[in-house]
Amino acid sequence: MSVTYNMQPAFAVDDASLLETDLTTCHLLVMVGQGTFSYVVFDPVGGKFLALKSYNFQPQKLAVADLEMIEQVFDADRLLFTAFRSVLIAFDGADGTLVPEKQYNSQLKKDYLHLAYPEKLQEVVMADILPPPVSIVNIYSVDKDLLGFLRKEFSTDRIVHAHSALLQAYPYDFDFRNYDGVAYVAVQRNRFTLTIYMGGKLLNQQELPWQTGLDVVYHLVNALRLLGLDEQRVKVKLGGVLPNDSDIHRELHKFLPNLEWMQRLPEFQYIGKMLEMPGHYFHNLYALALCV
């Protein structure tokens, strides 16, 4: 028997410009993760984000609990049924692996993925071919029932992985080509995505679990040392919905001297209420605008 909750967003940001804009010319950019459902409304004409909402709930089995909770989000949030110009759905936290585009064979995408992850009964294997200068194929699996529900509700086949958006966003960062190395730490609930570059070359991207800030320090320092990088010289950029005094930020600051917060993507515009939030909030959600 399912339980009905009064679904309220953890974050809800908009202003009068949302009512003054013809939303049929706008894109709805949706991100679905384990225990999270977030979206932004993006006006491509002005390159501006007009609204943001983010819901959190306790994840259990993705195909059961998360799907039921997302159904309740749809019942509570009527903006989701607006006739937008397009809807893009991004999956965050799905199993994934990266393959250089030159070595990619579409007929083997399941084989690439299952070298790293076991096959699941309810999975659909998908691939994002990222344009130059990235030139990488991101292969990942998503839950069949959840994918089917979202495709039906939004009437869209535009699907990407959240990591694909991050890989397109990081080259816009000023430190992207740092020859001492730069590590981007994008934090979600109980896990984080670590992406490491040196001189603009992608060295590593992986998703790792965490419970305390020291867990993040351990995984980050271990990954840097395995790549032959000096954690005392590497620039570390931290992003996610984290307060400035968060445990993760405190622990990273103790061990990594070149620590900074990620900032909003500079090529877009944001309503005033978004600019009032810390710049490292929802970096991965804004990055979806690079995929439309």
Side-chain angles (χ1 to χ4, degrees):
M1 178 178 178
S2 63
V3 179
T4 301
Y5 296 85
N6 182 19
M7 295 299 295
Q8 296 294 328
F11 290 86
V13 181
D14 63 33
D15 64 14
S17 63
L18 185 66
L19 298 176
E20 298 167 355
T21 305
D22 179 5
L23 297 183
T24 63
T25 67
C26 295
H27 301 294
L28 181 68
L29 312 177
V30 179
M31 183 170 293
V32 181
Q34 295 182 6
T36 64
F37 181 95
S38 306
Y39 67 81
V40 287
V41 177
F42 177 64
D43 177 8
V45 176
K48 187 174 185 178
F49 295 100
L50 304 179
L52 180 153
K53 283 189 182 179
S54 181
Y55 296 85
N56 296 329
F57 40 88
Q58 185 61 41
Q60 296 179 29
K61 290 182 66 177
L62 183 63
V64 179
D66 275 17
L67 180 53
E68 289 183 357
M69 298 302 284
I70 290 171
E71 288 175 339
Q72 293 181 35
V73 171
F74 272 82
D75 289 339
D77 194 334
R78 306 316 299 172
L79 183 62
L80 294 173
F81 294 96
T82 301
F84 291 99
R85 176 179 174 181
S86 74
V87 178
L88 176 72
I89 302 170
F91 286 91
D92 191 16
D95 293 343
T97 190
L98 301 177
V99 176
E101 187 176 4
K102 291 182 179 179
Q103 278 75 50
Y104 176 65
N105 182 334
S106 61
Q107 296 180 342
L108 299 176
K109 65 181 181 181
K110 289 186 178 181
D111 300 288
Y112 295 127
L113 182 65
H114 296 145
L115 285 172
Y117 298 96
E119 185 173 359
K120 297 177 181 177
L121 291 176
Q122 282 290 101
E123 73 175 8
V124 178
V125 178
M126 311 188 75
D128 299 337
I129 300 176
L130 306 185
V134 182
S135 298
I136 284 175
V137 181
N138 185 5
I139 305 168
Y140 55 98
S141 68
V142 297
D143 179 80
K144 181 180 180 181
D145 291 339
L146 182 56
L147 176 65
F149 171 80
L150 293 171
R151 276 178 162 167
K152 179 181 177 182
E153 293 297 324
F154 285 121
S155 299
T156 185
D157 284 320
R158 304 189 69 186
I159 312 294
V160 297
H161 193 286
H163 294 178
S164 299
L166 291 178
L167 289 170
Q168 294 182 73
Y170 291 146
Y172 289 90
D173 180 59
F174 178 79
D175 292 301
F176 171 69
R177 297 191 180 279
N178 189 320
Y179 278 90
D180 288 322
V182 56
Y184 298 96
V185 181
V187 178
Q188 297 90 32
R189 295 174 64 180
N190 302 317
R191 57 192 175 78
F192 68 99
T193 302
L194 173 61
T195 311
I196 302 173
Y197 295 89
M198 186 174 69
K201 178 182 179 182
L202 178 64
L203 301 182
N204 183 34
Q205 187 180 68
Q206 57 184 318
E207 191 170 273
L208 297 158
W210 71 275
Q211 292 184 337
T212 70
L214 280 175
D215 294 334
V216 180
V217 172
Y218 169 80
H219 287 302
L220 174 55
V221 171
N222 183 57
L224 293 173
R225 291 180 179 178
L226 287 174
L227 292 169
L229 299 178
D230 182 355
E231 69 268 18
Q232 298 301 304
R233 297 175 62 87
V234 168
K235 181 84 72 172
V236 178
K237 300 291 186 82
L238 178 62
V241 183
L242 298 169
N244 290 340
D245 61 348
S246 67
D247 177 54
I248 289 179
H249 186 268
R250 287 196 306 269
E251 295 298 338
L252 286 173
H253 186 69
K254 291 178 185 177
F255 296 95
L256 296 115
N258 299 313
L259 176 65
E260 298 179 2
W261 291 107
M262 292 185 196
Q263 296 302 315
R264 299 175 194 87
L265 288 163
E267 64 275 20
F268 298 121
Q269 298 184 53
Y270 306 82
I271 61 172
K273 291 181 180 179
M274 291 176 181
L275 295 174
E276 292 173 4
M277 293 192 297
H280 56 275
Y281 279 29
F282 300 108
H283 183 276
N284 58 345
L285 186 58
Y286 295 134
L288 295 180
L290 298 171
C291 300
V292 296

